[in-house]
Amino acid sequence: MLPLYFKLTILTFILLFLEEIHSAGQVIYAVNAGGEAHTDTNGIHFEKDPLMGQVGIASDYGKRLLIGRVPPNDHILYQTERYHTSTFGYDLPVPADGKYVLALKFCEVYFESPDQKVFDVVLNKEHTVVADLDIFSKVDRGVAHDEYVPFEVHKGKLYVNGEESDIHLNKIKLEFIKGYKDNPKINAFYLIKGTLDDIPKLPPLIHPDSRHQQDQPTLDLDDLEEEQRPEKRPRNIPTIPEAFEPEEESSIMLPVFIVIGAFIPILFFLCKL
């Protein structure tokens, strides 16, 4: 029979452990859109796309690319996708009241310029949570981009961005809205019960111009001054123009000598007259 204080100690540790798990966020639903099941480097298990063979088009065109901002193990989450020529979406289960965060994973794997694919993301058919999303414009081609959508569920209602709507059968609709510029898409997503602090974020984006500047070798200030300083020639070595100065002076005086030489005989002849 364990002593009472020992039981209380074990119970305290269990409660602390459960609190730690809760603070890390509980994954409710995760899908690798257009792809197979995958567990990422954060331990989140993404299910195989439930829309396979039902709605839209599953594509692995992104496997031609290496994806920036994520470790190699998680490239697959951004290389596969589901897109559709019309609006499409998924049902998100919200089993209890509380705070939730929806993490949406995107990557532009096809277009090579901005303003080619632009669309909205809507929750529960009423709340636009991502407007005019242009993935290429956000991060360029072949680079991971995540959007985070916090919301709250309370007594059968959804609260997001200061607005509310009714929830039916403990599910809310996640939709990608067809616009005028190509087709809406999603690479992967997951829903947690928790806050934004519980979401593992992507590393900061390095702008292409910044990468270019970082790749340039730095020039030491002393080296710069040395390059800008006029070249000094050794004093004991004459320059090329100086080496030819005597010859230049002789060429100038030669006509004078000729005139003097011609004038002397004439002067001598005149003196005899």
Side-chain angles (χ1 to χ4, degrees):
M1 191 77 176
L2 293 175
L4 179 60
Y5 74 90
F6 191 78
K7 292 180 180 179
L8 292 175
T9 301
I10 294 176
L11 179 61
T12 301
F13 276 111
I14 292 175
L15 291 175
L16 289 173
F17 179 71
L18 290 176
E19 178 62 25
E20 183 177 354
I21 291 176
H22 174 72
S23 65
Q26 178 188 0
V27 178
I28 303 298
Y29 189 46
V31 170
N32 180 23
E36 300 295 325
H38 175 76
T39 300
D40 73 0
T41 53
N42 298 303
I44 299 175
H45 180 72
F46 292 79
E47 299 178 8
K48 178 181 177 179
D49 192 341
L51 298 184
M52 285 291 191
Q54 299 180 29
V55 177
I57 300 169
S59 172
D60 63 356
Y61 187 85
K63 288 185 177 180
R64 295 167 171 80
L65 303 176
L66 297 177
I67 308 302
R69 298 180 78 188
V70 291
N73 178 62
D74 293 339
H75 283 195
I76 191 64
L77 292 175
Y78 298 89
Q79 291 171 328
T80 60
E81 64 182 42
R82 178 167 298 281
Y83 68 90
H84 193 23
T85 56
S86 183
T87 295
F88 75 102
Y90 297 80
D91 290 327
L92 304 178
V94 283
D97 288 357
K99 294 182 177 180
Y100 293 82
V101 180
L102 174 63
L104 304 167
K105 296 182 176 292
F106 299 99
C107 182
E108 181 53 66
V109 299
Y110 184 76
F111 291 110
E112 299 183 359
S113 61
D115 205 35
Q116 302 298 307
K117 180 189 290 290
V118 183
F119 58 94
D120 295 343
V121 182
V122 172
L123 273 185
N124 218 28
K125 295 187 176 297
E126 296 186 30
H127 313 288
T128 300
V129 292
V130 183
D132 297 324
L133 178 60
D134 184 340
I135 305 166
F136 186 98
S137 180
K138 292 278 190 180
V139 293
D140 213 325
R141 185 171 183 258
V143 181
H145 173 67
D146 287 2
E147 293 277 349
Y148 310 113
V149 183
F151 62 87
E152 189 169 355
V153 172
H154 182 66
K155 294 183 178 180
K157 289 187 177 294
L158 170 67
Y159 297 88
V160 55
N161 295 334
E163 301 175 348
E164 68 175 67
S165 61
D166 293 328
I167 298 175
H168 301 284
L169 302 176
N170 293 328
K171 290 184 179 181
I172 59 178
K173 193 74 174 180
L174 165 64
E175 291 182 295
F176 305 93
I177 309 301
K178 169 69 175 179
Y180 294 103
K181 296 183 179 179
D182 201 65
N183 303 308
K185 61 171 276 184
I186 179 66
N187 293 83
F189 66 87
Y190 65 90
L191 176 67
I192 71 163
K193 194 171 189 293
T195 66
L196 282 171
D197 293 335
D198 302 322
I199 293 285
K201 311 295 193 305
L202 291 174
L205 178 67
I206 299 177
H207 194 275
D209 292 342
S210 301
R211 291 197 298 267
H212 177 70
Q213 292 174 2
Q214 292 176 359
D215 292 340
Q216 297 297 320
T218 57
L219 184 63
D220 188 80
L221 183 60
D222 293 335
D223 295 337
L224 180 61
E225 293 176 353
E226 185 66 27
E227 287 186 1
Q228 294 176 344
R229 191 180 299 126
E231 182 181 356
K232 294 182 179 179
R233 297 191 180 98
R235 293 181 180 180
N236 59 345
I237 301 177
T239 62
I240 293 177
E242 293 173 350
F244 287 88
E245 281 179 3
E247 181 177 345
E248 291 177 358
E249 291 178 359
S250 300
S251 62
I252 294 173
M253 296 300 295
L254 183 59
V256 178
F257 293 147
I258 293 173
V259 171
I260 293 174
F263 180 72
I264 290 175
I266 295 173
L267 183 62
F268 181 75
F269 175 76
L270 292 175
C271 290
K272 283 190 172 185
L273 292 178

